[in-house]
Amino acid sequence: MFEFKMPSLGADMDKGRLIEWKVKPGDHVKRGQIVAIVETPKAAVDVEIFEDGIVERLLVDPQTEMAVGAPMALLRATNETAVTAIPQVAEHPHLSHRARKLAHQAASETTLRVSDNREAMRAVIAAAMSRSKREIPHYYLGNEVDLKPSLDWLSEENAKRPMEDRIIYAVLLLKAVAKAVASVPEVNGFWLDGRFQASQAVNVGVAISLRQGGLVAPAIHDVDKKDLGLLMRELNDLVLRARSGSLRSSEFSDATITVTNLGEQGVDSVFGVIYPPQVAIVGFGKISARQTVQTTLAGDHRASDGHRGGLFLVKIAQLLQHPENL
Amino acid sequence: MNTNLQTPEAMRAALFEILHNFAPEADLNSLPADAPIREYLDIDSLDAFNILVQVHKRFGIEIPESDYGKLVTLNNIISYLTK
């Protein structure tokens, strides 16, 4: 038997509200399956489960607010026999059809309200960024990168592709960052329990500003292993879902390094603030008239030194000179 | 080209529908026809790309990437569609 607990959807979250169960007692669930929708001050999040199992009992009803780590459901492993008979009753036997409908309506209204809740999101960003600047000794490096080979290659590549399948240059930047991590693994992972824990997976957090204000930085998983076409589709999907407020819990919590591309707003360079517990954020400014881009690294000096951070930025630049290999 | 979208007014209305999906909070009627849409509505490069994909689907025209720079304002787009 194991518990499904209120997940931490970011270093800054201490509680969440269950909006809706996506499973019921007796359901077989697979690792990665979305089992619940949880509301945080930032968004309503589709929460995934991290173990296969069978739902034994749901411990809380929708609209319940819980601390991170509080048990929400009991499950048994698929090879475990039921210790107690599961009563085969409806999901919420005490709720009439009308009551369930009302609860559902209330849930959707809550979700809508949340996406408007600028104050709450500001508070979450304030907490995370304050913690970052309080705890993380940042160092900053910058490098001007010739982007012409990448842009020329991309024009040729896009000319061969139907319009819907074209790729934007930001995807090349994400891939170059993810591949460069292999040379300098100490920028990819988490600072936890007083030490750096490198991550095998390269999950790149993408800073996405929301039109209603605020930002989120959900992750694209295994960016180093995916081809550019797939990354473009995943980036598109991620941005769309970030703006409509339907991100998955794993996207919220498991970025191992973040990329911010403020060139969009026309600034030359960006010196990022690291999202704890990550240890690095890479920034890209706007493309200059000479087709160069200012690439910056904010690194956690506990996890890496400027020398290694410098090698990381140089590696990104080298990879962008050979976009055909990305 | 879609036969329902031949007048500049109809094109403009269709473009507004597309833009509304990307900038729902914007008052599109106040968007000057000769203003750069991206800057005016604070559209990032991914959304700019997706807007052009929607224009391509809605109007049934191919837009080579080398033409993206010709599609900056409402007037630009309408004259591109009527050329």
Side-chain angles (χ1 to χ4, degrees):
Chain A
M1 201 71 78
F2 61 97
E3 286 174 335
F4 170 68
K5 294 176 181 160
M6 174 59 74
S8 171
L9 307 170
D12 37 23
M13 171 175 163
D14 54 3
K15 60 189 174 192
R17 182 190 301 275
L18 172 67
I19 297 292
E20 189 184 344
W21 281 113
K22 291 289 190 186
V23 292
K24 57 184 186 307
D27 281 1
H28 286 250
V29 294
K30 285 250 167 271
R31 178 185 156 83
Q33 183 178 335
I34 291 159
V35 295
I37 299 176
V38 164
E39 174 196 286
T40 74
K42 278 192 173 183
V45 179
D46 294 342
V47 178
E48 298 153 282
I49 192 145
F50 287 101
E51 264 178 88
D52 293 353
I54 300 161
V55 180
E56 181 93 17
R57 192 145 44 99
L58 303 178
L59 301 173
V60 289
D61 286 328
Q63 299 309 318
T64 311
E65 190 169 68
M66 278 153 291
V68 166
M72 296 174 69
L74 276 178
L75 293 95
R76 66 193 142 87
T78 28
N79 57 2
E80 198 179 323
T81 43
V83 279
T84 51
I86 308 163
Q88 296 295 321
V89 289
E91 188 178 351
H92 295 293
H94 56 287
L95 283 183
S96 68
H97 176 68
R98 185 176 144 69
R100 245 175 280 169
K101 206 173 150 193
L102 283 173
H104 190 74
Q105 265 173 14
S108 11
E109 280 161 16
T110 316
T111 312
L112 287 176
R113 203 191 63 228
V114 163
S115 59
D116 273 346
N117 199 339
R118 297 181 195 197
E119 247 176 66
M121 178 176 273
R122 262 324 337 147
V124 168
I125 294 170
M129 296 297 99
S130 303
R131 178 181 157 195
S132 174
K133 281 285 181 167
R134 196 168 54 238
E135 294 180 2
I136 303 178
H138 289 63
Y139 68 85
Y140 302 94
L141 303 170
N143 188 28
E144 185 173 25
V145 176
D146 181 5
L147 212 52
K148 192 170 187 305
S150 277
L151 295 174
D152 287 350
W153 177 83
L154 195 58
S155 294
E156 274 180 43
E157 180 63 28
N158 279 340
K160 293 182 242 160
R161 289 170 175 258
M163 192 151 179
E164 294 90 332
D165 294 345
R166 287 179 200 158
I167 295 163
I168 64 170
Y169 78 91
V171 172
L172 271 60
L173 304 180
L174 292 177
K175 185 73 185 277
V177 168
K179 284 188 83 166
V181 156
S183 307
V184 186
E186 57 266 50
V187 295
N188 184 60
F190 307 108
W191 185 269
L192 287 171
D193 305 324
R195 67 182 188 91
F196 173 64
Q197 301 178 12
S199 169
Q200 290 301 312
V202 185
N203 302 331
V204 179
V206 183
I208 300 169
S209 36
L210 303 176
R211 294 196 74 85
Q212 66 267 31
L215 82 162
V216 289
I220 301 180
H221 296 150
D222 302 315
V223 172
D224 54 329
K225 298 190 178 72
K226 290 176 176 163
D227 71 43
L228 298 173
L230 178 59
L231 288 175
M232 176 69 189
R233 290 194 294 280
E234 293 201 359
L235 176 66
N236 226 338
D237 176 61
L238 192 73
V239 171
L240 194 72
R241 287 187 296 106
R243 295 198 171 138
S244 65
S246 57
L247 292 166
R248 298 187 192 107
S249 51
S250 60
E251 292 166 337
F252 249 105
S253 53
D254 64 5
T256 57
I257 184 167
T258 293
V259 169
T260 178
N261 185 7
L262 275 184
E264 300 283 352
Q265 277 83 359
V267 296
D268 293 330
S269 52
V270 46
F271 302 95
V273 179
I274 299 166
Y275 286 73
Q278 294 165 46
V279 296
I281 179 167
V282 177
F284 292 98
K286 74 173 175 205
I287 300 176
S288 73
R290 294 181 295 120
Q291 297 199 311
T292 62
V293 66
Q294 293 289 341
T295 305
T296 57
L297 171 71
D300 183 336
H301 222 320
R302 299 170 301 182
S304 66
D305 300 321
H307 174 68
R308 297 288 292 165
L311 288 176
F312 177 54
L313 281 188
V314 167
K315 188 69 192 174
I316 294 171
Q318 286 170 352
L319 289 162
L320 287 169
Q321 304 317 300
H322 300 284
E324 68 281 2
N325 298 332
L326 280 176
Chain B
M1 168 157 343
N2 188 323
T3 47
N4 295 323
L5 292 171
Q6 283 180 341
T7 67
E9 292 72 34
M11 289 177 184
R12 192 180 155 94
L15 289 172
F16 275 12
E17 270 179 44
I18 293 170
L19 291 174
H20 177 75
N21 290 328
F22 292 89
E25 78 293 348
D27 173 17
L28 294 172
N29 289 312
S30 70
L31 168 65
D34 56 355
I37 297 171
R38 272 192 67 179
E39 277 105 272
Y40 200 86
L41 297 179
D42 190 17
I43 302 281
D44 66 22
S45 59
L46 187 64
D47 277 354
F49 166 75
N50 283 317
I51 287 169
L52 292 178
V53 171
Q54 292 306 314
V55 170
H56 149 75
K57 286 185 177 164
R58 189 73 179 266
F59 294 88
I61 51 153
E62 284 303 320
I63 309 173
E65 197 180 48
S66 50
D67 281 357
Y68 287 1
K70 299 177 189 166
L71 301 166
V72 174
T73 68
L74 281 174
N75 281 343
N76 286 167
I77 299 177
I78 291 171
S79 57
Y80 189 87
L81 293 171
T82 45
K83 75 165 193 251

